[in-house]
Amino acid sequence: MTVLMLEALDAEVVQWLAERHDARFAPELVADPLALRAAVAGARALIAPPELPIDARLLESADDLCIVARLQGDMVNVDQDLCRARGVEVARVVWSSANAEAEFAVGALLDMFRNPSDGGAKLGRELGCATVGLIGMTPVAQVLAPLLASFGTRVMGYDPSLHASDDEWSRWGVEPLSLMDLLQTVDAVVVLLPSYERFRGVLSARVLSHTRMDQVWVALSPSMLFDELALGEALNRGAIRSIWFDALDPAWLDAGRPLARRRGVRVTDRQANQTREAATRAAWAIARRVDEVLSRDVPAVRAAGQRSR
């Protein structure tokens, strides 16, 4: 077997791969660790769902593996250092769901502006008259910024890896600000930073203390970016009136936790990137990348890594 698929792809994509490589579709293996490791031992490419950890236990007998690919999800449970040491490429589609997530963010903002969740008699607001801050100039942000501008929205942004003088800001029509200045200025915030470990807790008590009153937030990034207690306090004092999470750790809603039973906290279960179009784009991108990797010679670094073990 050349390609082990543990996640469903479009029928046309599966046929395209099967015409080029020996492929097996076996999603049931995710629930059977022993059988999964045996199957991976004979595979050169693995297409894995986001809930499957790519770790030493899975990779220990995968001597022929060249590429691990994901259609969706982050990489927090992928041992990328180990993959690199073994010469295994880790492939994930970055752009495929950008349109879907940008549209989802616009919909969430419109809903929260028009339907205040504090139970008061406040009138809704128009998105076109608001200022929106984007935290993270990701592919989603690059689609979202022009969408917001089409409403007449003023768009500001912060990205820790992008200097204020970079041409990317003007290219996408976003005004760069420091994180503190952005939180003190905007009416709404969309959190788009990737789930890198270095960003864990970046939205800390010190940062959230600068939030202006009555903001609405949409978080398409995992909740790990937030200080849980600080977020609860921001909601308590009304700085954040409403926040919509699309990737919230379910434990954060447990009784006794700061967000439990809180008015103004809305949660969806990773729906932002779930569209037919995004799934099709991702499947084709992954299939083509797998084909490229399997069609070339195995890199010397991978062969050397195997000889050293």
Side-chain angles (χ1 to χ4, degrees), residues 240-274:
I240 297 178
R241 170 166 57 82
S242 184
I243 184 166
W244 189 316
F245 276 104
D246 190 54
L248 180 67
D249 181 344
W252 283 32
L253 299 178
D254 288 348
R257 303 280 290 258
L259 301 191
R261 300 183 181 278
R262 284 300 307 265
R263 184 187 293 274
V265 177
R266 309 189 191 189
V267 180
T268 44
D269 185 15
R270 300 181 185 275
Q271 292 182 9
N273 63 358
Q274 298 298 309

Side-chain angles (χ1 to χ4, degrees), residues 16 29 41 43 102 113 127 140 152 158 161 178 193-194 282 285 288 291 295 308:
W16 186 86
L29 292 178
F113 272 135
L127 182 57
V140 177
Y158 164 78
S161 61
S178 70
L193 284 174
R288 291 189 177 105
D291 180 59
S295 298
S308 68

Side-chain angles (χ1 to χ4, degrees), residues 36-253:
L36 174 59
R37 290 198 292 273
V40 171
R44 293 186 63 209
L46 175 65
I47 300 176
E51 67 270 17
L52 179 67
I54 309 300
D55 54 17
R57 177 173 294 185
L58 182 66
L59 296 173
E60 61 185 355
S61 60
D63 290 340
D64 294 327
L65 198 63
C66 300
I67 180 170
V68 172
R70 278 198 171 156
L71 277 72
Q72 58 182 319
D74 51 44
M75 294 295 184
V76 294
N77 60 352
V78 177
D79 190 334
Q80 298 195 58
D81 290 336
L82 179 59
C83 288
R84 190 177 302 111
R86 297 179 66 95
V88 177
E89 178 177 323
V90 178
R92 174 177 176 248
V93 183
V94 176
W95 274 97
S96 65
S97 64
N99 285 355
E101 294 182 64
E103 289 184 7
F104 184 94
V106 169
L109 288 170
L110 287 169
D111 186 273
M112 289 191 290
F113 272 135
R114 289 299 182 96
N115 299 291
S117 59
D118 56 8
K122 295 180 180 178
L123 292 174
R125 293 198 57 188
E126 295 176 14
L127 182 57
C129 296
T131 302
V132 175
L134 309 181
I135 300 180
M137 204 58 189
T138 62
V140 177
Q142 294 168 15
V143 177
L144 178 56
L147 278 178
L148 292 171
S150 69
F151 283 86
T153 307
R154 184 180 177 190
V155 184
M156 300 180 175
Y158 164 78
D159 190 302
S161 61
L162 198 60
H163 194 271
S165 63
D166 197 290
D167 290 341
E168 286 293 296
W169 297 108
S170 58
R171 179 182 178 187
W172 302 111
V174 179
E175 303 173 43
L177 290 177
S178 70
L179 182 55
M180 304 300 191
D181 287 344
L182 182 145
L183 295 183
Q184 291 172 345
T185 303
V186 299
D187 303 303
V189 177
V190 182
V191 185
L192 300 167
L193 284 174
S195 56
Y196 298 149
E197 186 61 31
R198 67 178 181 272
F199 293 146
R200 182 179 293 275
V202 67
L203 296 169
S204 62
R206 182 179 68 86
V207 170
L208 292 180
S209 67
H210 290 265
T211 304
R212 65 178 290 184
M213 296 297 292
D214 207 37
Q215 285 181 343
V216 298
W217 285 50
V218 177
L220 300 188
S221 302
S223 50
M224 61 172 278
L225 273 65
F226 288 84
D227 179 309
E228 182 183 2
L229 293 176
L231 178 57
E233 173 57 28
L235 286 161
N236 283 337
R237 62 186 174 86
I240 297 178
R241 170 166 57 82
S242 184
I243 184 166
W244 189 316
F245 276 104
D246 190 54
L248 180 67
D249 181 344
W252 283 32
L253 299 178

